[in-house]
Amino acid sequence: MEKSTMTQQTEEVLDLINGTFDSEDAKEILRNLFEYKINYHKLRNFNSQIRFGEQDDHSLERALELKQALGQMIEFFGKEQSKAYKITAKVVIEPIAD
């Protein structure tokens, strides 16, 4: 059995988004990513409240940061008049030593 690329490297870089999009598609793609992450943290907080009887402060803080970033993104597209945007988003995965 061969080792996967992930286990041979100390870091893995993946393209999440890499392309040129018209204004509406660019806004929709980014809005969906932000909303997905916001909902993830809301659900994580809800689960913490149900399971442990306490809120997940990290998730609440992160959801707030993401909502602010979403607002900035919406504001950006409200001001810009370009017909197309190049969007690049990379994901870096790094193992953390125990």
Side-chain angles (χ1 to χ4, degrees), residues 37-50:
K37 285 294 293 179
I38 291 166
N39 288 332
Y40 167 82
H41 285 289
K42 284 181 177 179
L43 182 58
R44 185 175 166 151
N45 178 59
F46 177 75
N47 285 337
S48 179
Q49 289 176 336
I50 296 298

Side-chain angles (χ1 to χ4, degrees), residues 61-74:
E61 183 178 327
R62 188 65 184 128
L64 181 59
E65 292 169 353
L66 290 163
K67 285 179 187 177
Q68 291 170 344
L70 174 60
Q72 289 175 311
M73 185 272 299
I74 291 169

Side-chain angles (χ1 to χ4, degrees), residues 23-37:
S23 180
E24 286 303 311
D25 285 346
K27 189 169 33 173
E28 182 179 353
I29 288 166
L30 294 172
R31 182 181 47 79
N32 285 336
L33 281 172
F34 279 107
E35 288 178 352
Y36 179 84
K37 285 294 293 179

Side-chain angles (χ1 to χ4, degrees), residues 61-89:
E61 183 178 327
R62 188 65 184 128
L64 181 59
E65 292 169 353
L66 290 163
K67 285 179 187 177
Q68 291 170 344
L70 174 60
Q72 289 175 311
M73 185 272 299
I74 291 169
E75 185 178 323
F76 172 82
F77 281 103
K79 291 190 280 190
E80 286 296 316
Q81 299 300 316
S82 179
K83 294 182 181 178
Y85 296 90
K86 177 164 177 40
I87 301 175
T88 305

Side-chain angles (χ1 to χ4, degrees), residues 1 7 11 18 21 38-39 53-55 77 81 87 90:
M1 178 180 230
T7 58
E11 177 180 281
N18 188 2
F21 306 92
I38 291 166
N39 288 332
E54 49 188 59
Q55 64 187 24
F77 281 103
Q81 299 300 316
I87 301 175
K90 298 202 181 292

